[in-house]
Amino acid sequence: MEDKNGGLVSDKTTANLTKQPHVRIDFDDIDDTPKVFVDGVEQQEVHHIELGWDEEDICLNNRYRIDFMDSVGRLHGIGQGK
């Protein structure tokens, strides 16, 4: 289930009912900060990106989480996971 702060979805039934954002991550060089787009809008102050998946092993927790800092330094995140 997704929490009110955009936390990871842990309940598969709820995950199917909750609209998940379209996420795109662009990076050209490992030394540059990736550009993150959520529903087509570039996000500023990207703090942390975590991706994990394995299409061969259905038991692995496929997931993503992206954390952002707002203008007053608070951390916010979006994510989805099994």
Side-chain angles (χ1 to χ4, degrees):
M1 177 168 36
E2 185 173 328
D3 68 18
K4 64 183 177 182
N5 296 322
L8 291 176
V9 175
S10 60
D11 179 353
K12 290 180 184 179
T13 304
T14 304
N16 292 333
L17 300 175
T18 305
K19 179 192 177 298
Q20 293 299 317
H22 177 258
V23 176
R24 187 177 95 216
I25 302 170
D26 294 342
F27 60 95
D28 295 320
D29 189 292
I30 196 68
D31 292 326
D32 295 335
T33 300
K35 292 183 180 180
V36 175
F37 299 85
V38 177
D39 290 333
V41 178
E42 184 175 359
Q43 304 299 300
Q44 302 299 318
E45 303 298 327
V46 174
H47 179 69
H48 178 85
I49 299 172
E50 177 186 353
L51 298 169
W53 75 93
D54 183 347
E55 64 185 55
E56 299 295 325
D57 183 0
I58 61 174
C59 296
L60 186 68
N61 289 330
N62 296 344
R63 64 183 176 210
Y64 78 87
R65 178 150 183 97
I66 303 171
D67 295 322
F68 311 91
M69 297 290 263
D70 67 13
S71 62
V72 294
R74 290 181 300 213
L75 194 62
H76 299 276
I78 63 169
Q80 181 180 8
K82 290 184 178 178

